Amino acid sequence: MGMGTSTFVIRWVNLLTMLLAVAVIIFGVWMSTHNDGCRRSLTFPVLALGGFIFLISIIGFLGACKRSVALLWIYLAVLLIVLIAILVFTVLAFIITNNGSGHSNPGLRYKEYKLNDYSSWFLKELNNTNNWKRLKSCLVKSEQCRKLSKKYKTIKQLKSAELTPIEAGCCRPPSECGYPAVNASYYDLSFHSISSNKDCKLYKNLRTIKCYNCDSCKAGVAQYMKTEWRLVAIFNVVLFVVLSMVYFVGCCARRNAASNQSKA
């Protein structure tokens, strides 16, 4: 690849990533002013990501414009570290999310989830008291459970609904408990359950309690995280391919710049 072509591609690619970084930083600033504490907890990672993308883009852009071998070396070194990090994270993400799936129940369209079906990493993170306290606070604030009675007016509608893993695990007791449903968000707890599942005793109809302390709720969160991580992992595969191509073009630009310097 010629010097002109490689530096042209590097300049424009990094100009676009600089604009992307600015957008990410603006989004992070917006999150920091948002009233939702759960969103605010993600502010620092988002701002750090935006700042890092902006920094590496500046180095690559200046290196291509000035045809600086030193800047292009730094750019390629950092980009190589990013590629390795993406590869490691993606492999780990696929390994961690390999286990766990829903269990079907007769008469219900949605699935229920069991915590022990998931990887040891999920078990460790979700059984950590501090982690779960923060997650539970976010779940209560989201009021997903309160909205169920508005979405599903009858028990028949509830049973035929495709509840999300969090709705199925956190907003209702496990089916094996046998509690009759009065409506989509209220159950008759006077029924004597013979199930040995400890979640049956933990469930309460109170808005702030529900089944948020249940293993079924943690399993629902694990399934949600598994789905999200899989999407991120697939995105990372695409990103890895794109950045590998950029790395190749950067190597050509660095080699051509070094060749021109030696001739000069």
Side-chain angles (χ1 to χ4, degrees), residues 9-264:
V9 173
I10 289 295
R11 279 200 300 266
W12 279 102
V13 166
N14 284 285
L15 182 61
L16 292 174
T17 54
M18 273 191 280
L19 295 176
L20 173 64
V22 171
V24 171
I25 292 172
I26 291 173
F27 178 64
V29 172
W30 174 83
M31 290 177 68
S32 68
T33 59
H34 202 278
N35 291 326
D36 188 346
C38 301
R39 289 180 182 268
R40 283 203 301 270
S41 65
L42 298 174
T43 298
F44 178 75
V46 171
L47 289 174
L49 176 63
F52 183 75
I53 293 174
F54 188 80
L55 178 62
I56 189 176
S57 300
I58 283 285
I59 295 173
F61 184 78
L62 292 177
C65 288
K66 296 179 177 296
R67 297 184 179 181
S68 169
V69 176
L71 287 177
L72 288 173
W73 264 117
I74 296 172
Y75 173 71
L76 291 173
V78 176
L79 192 56
L80 180 61
I81 293 172
V82 171
L83 285 170
I84 294 173
I86 290 174
L87 182 62
V88 171
F89 175 83
T90 303
V91 171
L92 288 176
F94 277 114
I95 292 174
I96 290 172
T97 59
N98 188 50
N99 297 328
S101 60
H103 299 266
S104 300
N105 287 292
L108 300 178
R109 191 173 181 182
Y110 54 86
K111 294 182 178 181
E112 294 184 328
Y113 304 87
K114 296 184 182 298
L115 185 59
N116 289 331
D117 289 345
Y118 294 88
S119 67
S120 58
W121 185 88
F122 277 124
L123 293 177
K124 180 181 176 181
E125 292 298 311
L126 294 174
N127 284 325
N128 181 283
T129 303
N130 292 329
N131 289 347
W132 186 247
K133 184 178 180 180
R134 177 175 54 82
L135 288 170
K136 185 171 68 173
S137 173
C138 292
L139 291 172
V140 173
K141 289 178 182 178
S142 70
E143 296 193 333
Q144 292 187 55
C145 297
R146 186 179 65 84
K147 296 174 184 176
L148 285 182
S149 58
K150 295 181 180 180
K151 290 169 64 177
Y152 310 110
K153 302 297 183 181
T154 65
I155 303 302
K156 184 178 180 180
Q157 288 179 340
L158 176 65
K159 289 183 177 181
S160 61
E162 292 185 356
L163 299 183
T164 66
I166 291 178
E167 288 173 340
C170 305
C171 303
R172 47 179 297 283
S175 297
E176 63 182 280
C177 298
Y179 296 132
V182 177
N183 57 46
S185 59
Y186 194 91
Y187 290 80
D188 182 7
L189 301 184
S190 64
F191 176 83
H192 180 66
S193 176
I194 59 173
S195 173
S196 60
N197 190 333
K198 65 177 183 178
D199 288 353
C200 299
K201 294 182 179 180
L202 292 174
Y203 176 83
K204 296 291 183 290
N205 285 313
L206 293 175
R207 181 184 66 85
T208 56
I209 299 179
K210 290 296 181 178
C211 215
Y212 294 129
N213 293 314
C214 301
D215 282 350
S216 62
C217 185
K218 293 178 181 179
V221 172
Q223 179 63 26
Y224 170 80
M225 292 172 66
K226 172 185 174 179
T227 303
E228 293 295 304
W229 275 47
R230 276 294 171 97
L231 291 175
V232 172
I234 292 171
F235 171 78
N236 279 349
V237 171
V238 177
L239 182 62
F240 182 84
V241 173
V242 173
L243 289 181
S244 296
M245 295 171 65
V246 174
Y247 184 81
F248 170 75
V249 175
C251 287
C252 292
R254 195 274 313 161
R255 186 174 60 250
N256 291 332
S259 177
N260 287 348
Q261 274 191 2
S262 62
K263 289 178 182 180

Side-chain angles (χ1 to χ4, degrees), residues 2-9 11 67 256:
M3 179 65 185
T5 304
S6 58
T7 53
F8 175 82
V9 173
R11 279 200 300 266
R67 297 184 179 181
N256 291 332

